[in-house]
Amino acid sequence: MKQSISQTISLIKSDFIKRCEYENKTFNFVQGVKLCFYPAAVGVMLFRLQAFFFQHNLNLFASIIKVINTVLFSIAIDSSAIIGERFMILHASFITIGPNVTIGTDFMAVHHNGIMASPFFTEHQSAQGPTIGNHVVLGGGGMITGAITIGDDVKVSMNASVEADFENGAVLFGVPARNVNQQKSEEAAT
Amino acid sequence: MMTFNQTLTLIKADFSRRLTLEEKRINALNMCLIAFKPGMISILCYRLSRYCFHHRLGIFCKFFSLIDQFINTNEISPQTDIGPGLVLSDAGGIGIPNLCRIGTNCTFMGYSSITLGALENAPTEDDFIHIGDHCVFGANTRIMRAVRLANGTQVKPCSVIITSVKKEGQTVSGIPAKHKHIDDYANIRQWNPLLSKSIVEAAL
């Protein structure tokens, strides 16, 4: 389904509202204009425009916007990535989101994040990227790779590398990532 | 001494490798189009700065390195020796120092960094980092010492390598990196890290 220009504007507005809520400010026209000079917010806005052009088969404009976004803010998001509303990048620095990635609403990336299909050799060849639920926070340096599914309300810590499926409410640490919440509950049971 | 023809051959090999991985035809038009991708600009700058370094054109060498740093935030030393078929991801942030030798057809997916600690004496052959052919580096990986990585080493994201890898086709992961399973090197040579499937040669 192609997204119309009004849907694109409402998506950008929802991203700006999320940003204002994070900074404890109420969203209004002045705040919106201020955010247009903020690199991380502009990066998200450029991605929404890129996705709009891609869905209307204007690939040239989409790739030009992608190059601008990459060079100015180091945010390289593939046009075919599906990201829900209220998407937020905290710091515009080295965010890579590859093709075939699906992300829910209220997603927050901090910096130095990568979400992509696994570049490593496996017997089961799959170009499918990760599927991520709603209200997920990805800490600085956190990586999510491979054809995996991550539930809602998951928190990924700094420099964690997520390579397996995790259910709702998980708190992930380490390389490769482990669920700390689950470990705590198992210790309490024993 | 590296001639300009050799530099052109290397650049052509890099462009052909990227086009093969993206499953596009290898022709002049596609090569011109792909040259606008930030990762390819970075490789072009590195190859030209290395040519200038060999011919003692210090200012131009610095100029190309600076373009690379401004556009793509990659910092690749012109003294380092990288084989043909290099693939860098578009996001940038890759740091490669001068004490490094990298083989053919290596892939760096996002902000990998190869770092050496401070050396007290002049570097010897033991202080070089040797990286074999067909290695794949995930994002956010670091190499902290003068290690040797065998052909087809696969470094998982966020790992820190402090020991050498001797077996071909080994996967390493963790902080510090532990040696995990070993895959067949012949399969890894045919692996496409950009599209996560086996390489399909585009019909000419």
Side-chain angles (χ1 to χ4, degrees):
Chain A
M1 198 183 85
K2 287 180 183 178
Q3 87 187 28
S4 64
I5 189 77
S6 60
Q7 280 172 325
T8 311
I9 291 170
S10 68
L11 277 173
I12 294 172
K13 198 179 167 189
S14 73
D15 299 333
F16 279 14
I17 289 171
K18 163 95 172 171
R19 178 99 210 171
C20 285
E21 280 174 11
Y22 183 81
E23 293 176 353
N24 281 333
K25 288 170 184 163
T26 47
F27 178 74
N28 50 31
F29 180 73
V30 179
Q31 289 294 341
V33 173
K34 272 187 187 174
L35 281 178
C36 287
F37 293 93
Y38 199 87
V42 177
V44 173
M45 191 168 78
L46 286 178
F47 162 67
R48 296 295 188 198
L49 290 176
Q50 179 192 336
F52 171 76
F53 285 127
F54 177 74
Q55 287 174 11
H56 288 80
N57 295 327
L58 297 164
N59 284 338
L60 180 66
F61 292 104
S63 44
I64 288 172
I65 290 179
K66 191 187 172 187
V67 169
I68 290 172
N69 211 354
T70 314
V71 170
L72 284 184
F73 310 121
S74 295
I75 297 174
I77 305 180
D78 196 89
S79 310
S80 63
I82 300 165
I83 303 181
E85 56 187 8
R86 292 165 68 81
F87 170 47
M88 176 177 161
I89 293 172
L90 194 56
H91 306 131
S93 142
F94 304 128
I95 309 278
T96 314
I97 298 180
N100 305 325
V101 174
T102 312
I103 299 176
T105 58
D106 269 292
F107 177 74
M108 184 170 125
V110 178
H111 58 86
H112 288 78
N113 295 127
I115 303 167
M116 56 183 103
S118 173
F120 304 105
F121 173 76
T122 46
E123 295 294 339
H124 325 286
Q125 301 184 358
S126 163
Q128 178 62 38
T131 307
I132 299 174
N134 306 328
H135 304 279
V136 174
V137 179
L138 187 53
M143 296 290 308
I144 302 177
T145 51
I148 58 176
T149 308
I150 291 173
D152 299 343
D153 300 304
V154 173
K155 290 184 177 68
V156 182
S157 104
M158 285 73 78
N159 268 21
S161 169
V162 184
E163 291 159 20
D165 293 359
F166 286 99
E167 55 203 22
N168 297 352
V171 179
L172 307 176
F173 272 85
V175 183
R178 303 179 312 277
N179 186 355
V180 184
N181 258 0
Q182 198 181 15
Q183 280 179 350
K184 271 183 189 169
S185 57
E186 278 172 7
E187 279 168 19
T190 55
Chain B
M1 184 70 80
M2 182 183 267
T3 62
F4 194 68
N5 274 345
Q6 282 173 329
T7 310
L8 276 184
T9 316
L10 282 170
I11 291 172
K12 205 177 167 190
D14 295 328
F15 278 60
S16 308
R17 167 84 176 160
R18 179 81 185 233
L19 283 173
T20 312
L21 292 190
E22 292 192 355
E23 297 188 349
K24 288 177 181 162
R25 288 185 183 190
I26 300 169
N27 53 30
L29 177 69
N30 276 345
M31 281 197 184
C32 292
L33 285 176
I34 212 170
F36 289 100
K37 295 207 169 190
M40 299 315 292
I41 294 172
S42 180
I43 291 174
L44 208 57
C45 287
Y46 159 70
R47 295 289 183 206
L48 291 174
S49 73
R50 180 150 174 80
Y51 172 76
C52 296
F53 174 75
H54 268 275
H55 290 265
R56 296 171 185 263
L57 300 166
I59 296 172
F60 293 104
C61 175
K62 199 77 192 162
F63 174 71
F64 284 121
S65 297
L66 276 177
I67 288 180
D68 194 4
Q69 285 180 34
F70 275 119
I71 290 183
N72 212 20
T73 47
N74 286 344
E75 195 167 350
I76 305 174
S77 166
Q79 297 176 41
T80 192
D81 185 18
I82 303 182
L86 174 70
V87 176
L88 302 179
S89 78
D90 289 338
I94 293 162
I96 300 176
N98 47 13
L99 301 167
C100 198
R101 272 173 207 159
I102 299 178
T104 58
N105 293 355
C106 284
T107 309
F108 290 83
M109 300 293 290
Y111 36 97
S112 315
S113 168
I114 300 176
T115 321
L116 263 179
L119 296 170
E120 290 174 359
N121 304 317
T124 61
E125 193 65 18
D126 296 338
D127 295 321
F128 276 79
I129 297 177
H130 288 262
I131 293 172
D133 305 341
H134 291 272
C135 292
V136 181
F137 288 81
N140 228 342
T141 52
R142 303 280 186 272
I143 298 179
M144 296 302 288
R145 284 180 194 163
V147 297
R148 244 166 219 278
L149 302 189
N151 294 345
T153 305
Q154 297 188 308
V155 186
K156 291 266 179 176
C158 306
S159 356
V160 178
I161 300 178
I162 56 168
T163 50
S164 293
V165 177
K166 284 170 189 161
K167 289 174 185 163
E168 284 186 346
Q170 185 128 38
T171 301
V172 294
S173 158
I175 306 174
K178 293 189 184 92
H179 295 183
K180 306 273 178 173
H181 59 271
I182 296 173
D183 290 308
D184 191 4
Y185 180 49
N187 288 336
I188 291 172
R189 283 169 67 93
Q190 287 301 315
W191 180 247
N192 181 346
L194 289 189
L195 297 183
S196 303
K197 59 181 186 180
S198 292
I199 288 176
V200 180
E201 296 287 343
L204 292 170

